[in-house]
Amino acid sequence: MNIIEVKNLVKRFDDIVAVDDISFAVEKGKIFAFLGPNGAGKTTTIKMFTTLLQPTSGKISINGFDPSTQSDSVRQSLGIIFQDPSLDDELTAWENLEFHGVLYGVSKKIRRQRIEELLKVVELENRRDHLVKEFSGGMKRRLEIARGLLHHPQIIFLDEPTLGLDPQTRNHLWGYIKDMNQKEDVTVFFSTHYMQEAEKMADQIAIIDHGKIVAQGSAQDLEKQTQTDTLEDAFLQLTGKDIREDSAKAIDRLRTNRRVWRR
Amino acid sequence: MEKIKRYGQIIYILWLRQIKRHYRSRARVVGSLAQPILFLVALGFGFGPIYQRAGGGDYIQFIAPGIVAMSIIFTAMFAGIEVIYDKQFGFLKETLVAPVKRWNIMLGRTLGGATVATIQGLIVLVISFLIGFRPDNLWLLPVAILMMILMATFFTALGTAIASKLEDMQAFPLIINFLIMPLFFLSGALFPLEGLPRTIQIITYLDPLSYGVDGIRGALSSQLHFGFSHDFGIIIILVFLALGIGSWLFSKIEV
Ligand SMILES: Nc1ncnc2c1ncn2[C@@H]1O[C@H](COP(=O)(O)OP(=O)(O)O)[C@@H](O)[C@H]1O
Ligand SMILES: [Mg+2]
């Protein structure tokens, strides 16, 4: 059974086509990697899956529901770790987690137990009562991850989850995610631009570039398709060798500053 | 029943968050008291003699409820900026992606801001008491407080709804000041609504703040222009309207 199905999905921002007619499916219980360079359209796609953005055209089904018209049911099915900051700086670590647990209806007993457990996983247990604004970037990231794992949804979206994490935390994190995937059959959809991470963790990989899916399959499939020996070579062959900076981001910011009112 | 309990928990945690954020920022708490105190002292003592000579009676009795209403409208409307903070710091995503009814989000946030604004109004009421204001009838104090709560709820909902459409931190204060100034000066907070030129009177009747001020003044100073049923009826309708529109706007936010 496919828990995610996407058909001819397009997202246009004014003049940029961020997601350009993509189609794919993810089977329930699998770990799926969305691999692509900066600006490829990964975050935009995830935002459309999670009801935060409306697609320009195309069809999405998440756990059998359409994010545009059945947003409540879609939200019931998912959890997400965002790429961009999403904590409340004026609350403590513990308060951020508690807030999340209540919003997602995690019962008090399980909530308290998981908060303890997760604070250990991300090594923040002795900082639980500190305000988040006193945290370093890495600590904030770890807290966001703990928060994203606090409720156990049917699908979890992780948008570049390990960006900026040290190797130990990265291992802990993947240990926890794999465990959740195996024990509770949680489908994992993660985006990354680390090839090793995709190769090591994912059952299936889709490579996205300039808003288009250029290849998909298991790591072996992709190597076969491109007649290369490693996923890295396959990736470079598919996406070209030029290094892409996130220069688009700066232009975005200029744009949003000018545009005061939303449509 | 299960559902109602869950709504209650969600609204409570959203409310609690707004309260914590406000009272952790001491500058905000102290700074927002300066303006009403200035108005009370300057207007109360400055215009007092003229008002008395014109046969209006004790001006502080008249103006204190107006200044209480002023402190509420300012605190309440500006509470909307929290939505823009949340957009810019990214926290809004966390609330929007949660399996929570949009009206729960709107109501929880609004009640948080409204609580802060009501407390603000009560502090100003106590200060005006220290300056010489004496409520006519302490039995009617709960009526005044109820009106303060309703007003605070309406104006917080309005500020929050406006903020949900805005992206940028600089635009919000400009727009809110642009709205508050006429609302305040044309509300009967500073002058009686009796005997005004026709056009001005019509404008004051269209100003929601007029009914809030009238309700508070009616309860504390026994000077009632519209009547309690009018005042409360109109403000209650506006509360539901603003919450409804705000919830709808929240369902349209994209981040
Ligand atoms: N709100 C927006 N307005 C305009 N352009 C955007 C917006 N969000 C993303 N984009 C553009 O869409 C493209 C894809 O971005 P994104 O999905 O963030 O890529 P990725 O997550 O793969 O790095 C980029 O060119 C980016 O600048
Ligand atoms: Mg991204």
Side-chain angles (χ1 to χ4, degrees), chain A residues 13 16 18 37-44 83 160 248-249 252 255:
Chain A
F13 295 107
I16 302 170
N38 274 337
K42 304 181 295 294
T43 299
T44 306
Q83 181 184 351
E160 312 230 10
K249 281 273 153 56
D252 284 349
R255 185 175 300 121

Side-chain angles (χ1 to χ4, degrees), chain B:
Chain B
M1 209 50 222
E2 231 359 78
K3 238 182 188 160
I4 293 173
K5 192 174 153 212
R6 178 157 158 71
Y7 291 163
Q9 284 170 341
I10 289 163
I11 292 166
Y12 169 72
I13 198 96
L14 284 156
W15 171 86
L16 188 63
R17 169 173 177 258
Q18 295 308 131
I19 302 289
K20 281 182 175 166
R21 284 176 63 87
H22 184 83
Y23 289 104
R24 277 177 193 172
S25 156
R26 202 143 294 149
R28 241 188 290 188
V29 177
V30 177
S32 52
L33 279 175
Q35 192 185 16
I37 294 176
L38 181 67
F39 266 75
L40 264 180
V41 172
L43 295 179
F45 294 120
F47 280 122
I50 303 179
Y51 189 79
Q52 198 134 33
R53 245 174 288 151
D58 192 350
Y59 192 49
I60 200 84
Q61 291 302 111
F62 179 82
I63 203 178
I67 303 300
V68 168
M70 178 191 93
S71 70
I72 291 177
I73 186 179
F74 269 89
T75 317
M77 292 272 269
F78 275 104
I81 204 164
E82 289 280 308
V83 178
I84 301 178
Y85 277 121
D86 282 356
K87 259 184 219 175
Q88 300 220 331
F89 288 92
F91 188 76
L92 196 64
K93 296 193 287 274
E94 156 80 356
T95 350
L96 291 180
V97 82
V100 170
K101 296 259 180 277
R102 305 297 106 158
W103 68 264
N104 282 191
I105 301 179
M106 179 67 194
L107 186 58
R109 299 188 75 109
T110 299
L111 291 180
T115 305
V116 169
T118 305
I119 292 172
Q120 193 77 9
L122 288 171
I123 295 173
V124 172
L125 189 60
V126 170
I127 292 171
S128 64
F129 190 79
L130 299 177
I131 288 178
F133 172 66
R134 290 291 172 271
D136 273 353
N137 192 342
L138 272 182
W139 294 110
L140 286 180
L141 189 62
V143 176
I145 292 175
L146 183 61
M147 180 49 97
M148 288 162 68
I149 294 172
L150 289 170
M151 264 180 67
T153 310
F154 167 61
F155 286 112
T156 309
L158 185 62
T160 304
I162 292 170
S164 76
K165 294 291 283 178
L166 290 174
E167 300 274 314
D168 116 6
M169 212 82 100
Q170 275 87 44
F172 184 76
L174 290 176
I175 291 169
I176 293 300
N177 272 321
F178 181 79
L179 282 173
I180 288 185
M181 286 304 164
L183 282 174
F184 173 58
F185 283 109
L186 297 170
S187 69
L190 300 177
F191 49 77
L193 297 179
E194 285 82 16
L196 292 175
R198 192 83 195 121
T199 353
I200 301 290
Q201 189 163 51
I202 291 170
I203 296 173
T204 58
Y205 283 19
L206 292 174
D207 181 348
L209 190 62
S210 297
Y211 301 92
V213 169
D214 194 53
I216 299 175
R217 188 176 287 142
L220 296 180
S221 306
S222 333
Q223 302 179 44
L224 204 54
H225 183 78
F226 300 108
F228 283 134
S229 55
H230 245 85
D231 296 335
F232 279 89
I234 286 170
I235 297 288
I236 287 171
I237 291 170
L238 289 174
V239 165
F240 280 100
L241 210 61
L243 285 171
I245 292 172
S247 305
W248 181 76
L249 290 174
F250 261 80
S251 74
K252 298 281 166 219
I253 299 180
E254 290 190 303
V255 286

